Amino acid sequence: MRAKQADGSTAAYFYHRTTGRRLQGEPGSPVFRQALEEAARQAEADRAPAAAVLTIGDLVDAYQAAPAWTSLKASTRETGQFHIAAILRAFGDMTLAEVAQEPAPAALLGWHAERAAQHPRDADARLSCLSSILAFAVTAGLLDRHPLPRFERAYTPKPPAAAPLPTSLRPGEVAVILAPRLLSKALAASYCDVTPARFDRWRKAGMMPDPLPGTARWDRVDIDAAIEDLKKLGKLTTPAKAAPPSAGEDPLAAWLATKGPKPWKR
């Protein structure tokens, strides 16, 4: 391009045809060649397509089209969709470049903590869902590393409460719990599968031991010893409808009369 100057002379100006950029210097000079190369590089950059800016919203679309999502059960996907909706509301516009930067984990943990203040279980589920989506991004090569591979869960399941021991027991109920060494009368009777009244009659008849001195507790080992003695005497194996033996023939009465103190009475 030539232009007339104020003094009447004519000056030539050179411009790059593609970019319209003015080229400094005279054709063939080093300054002109450098300006021409810079203009050519600018033209090449202008022709290149703009790099896609991926966001978490774009990542979610790719994730839900992949087997990592489609292979899940329908019920699992239905529940996960609620968590994804919350993720998109909070971080849908965040770019993956921002996710890869240092502040991102703090932002994710802050979002989790805010929800956990009222709904800890739901907060854990949301962040776990987002963690799965980010893991997919790493596998797909969209992220170099996972920004939050682990996190401390807010919800801790409570252990099941132990069933309280019953205050009163029917005969035989002690069999379903761990019997302690020392038994109350109710437990001692239940241990023998009889009512407390029958246990009292057995004790008065000398068939069962007395409670430990100064207590209202029976030693389970003494009860076992008494039962073994009764088995040896045949007392507990006599048929229910057999005629009662006479006083002289009663082996228990004879044993009590000759043996003296019972082995469980120390």
Side-chain angles (χ1 to χ4, degrees):
M1 176 181 176
R2 295 183 179 276
K4 191 174 183 179
Q5 304 296 308
D7 60 1
S9 62
T10 302
Y13 299 98
F14 302 94
Y15 295 87
H16 192 269
R17 178 177 298 177
T18 303
T19 63
R21 183 175 180 177
R22 183 178 173 180
L23 304 176
Q24 302 295 328
E26 294 295 326
S29 67
V31 175
F32 185 87
R33 287 196 299 270
Q34 182 179 356
L36 185 62
E37 291 173 0
E38 291 176 356
R41 286 195 295 269
Q42 181 64 47
E44 185 67 24
D46 291 342
R47 284 195 298 270
V53 178
L54 294 178
T55 65
I56 287 185
D58 300 324
L59 177 60
V60 167
D61 291 339
Y63 172 72
Q64 291 187 302
W69 172 263
T70 58
S71 62
L72 298 176
K73 293 181 179 179
S75 58
T76 303
R77 294 198 304 271
E78 183 178 358
T79 303
Q81 194 61 50
F82 288 101
H83 303 320
I84 288 177
I87 292 168
L88 293 177
R89 287 195 300 270
F91 302 109
D93 295 333
M94 178 182 282
T95 66
L96 296 189
E98 292 172 330
V99 172
Q101 295 174 2
E102 190 62 31
L108 301 181
L109 291 175
W111 176 65
H112 172 258
E114 183 179 357
R115 181 65 176 173
Q118 297 294 329
H119 305 283
R121 195 169 189 173
D122 184 60
D124 289 347
R126 288 183 179 186
L127 193 55
S128 179
C129 180
L130 178 55
S131 180
S132 298
I133 294 171
L134 295 175
F136 165 78
V138 175
T139 303
L142 301 175
L143 284 176
D144 293 333
R145 61 181 182 84
H146 198 302
L148 197 66
R150 292 177 297 275
F151 66 93
E152 185 176 352
R153 295 184 175 270
Y155 176 76
T156 304
K158 295 182 180 179
L165 290 176
T167 55
S168 60
L169 295 172
R170 296 189 300 273
E173 283 188 339
V174 74
V176 300
I177 64 173
L178 179 62
R181 172 74 182 268
L182 298 182
L183 307 176
S184 66
K185 182 188 289 187
L187 280 174
S190 184
Y191 186 69
C192 296
D193 197 18
V194 297
T195 64
R198 179 177 292 275
F199 184 81
D200 264 342
R201 290 197 294 271
W202 284 5
R203 183 173 62 88
K204 292 175 181 177
M207 297 167 60
M208 285 291 135
D210 291 330
L212 295 177
T215 74
R217 292 291 184 270
W218 277 257
D219 189 335
R220 177 164 45 86
V221 176
D222 290 346
I223 295 177
D224 290 341
I227 293 174
E228 291 299 321
D229 286 338
L230 291 172
K231 285 168 58 179
K232 293 174 183 177
L233 294 172
K235 189 68 175 179
L236 297 183
T237 58
T238 304
K241 294 184 179 180
S246 63
E249 299 174 349
D250 187 349
L252 175 61
W255 182 83
L256 290 175
T258 59
K259 294 297 182 179
K262 302 175 182 61
W264 57 80
K265 287 193 173 182
R266 300 175 178 86

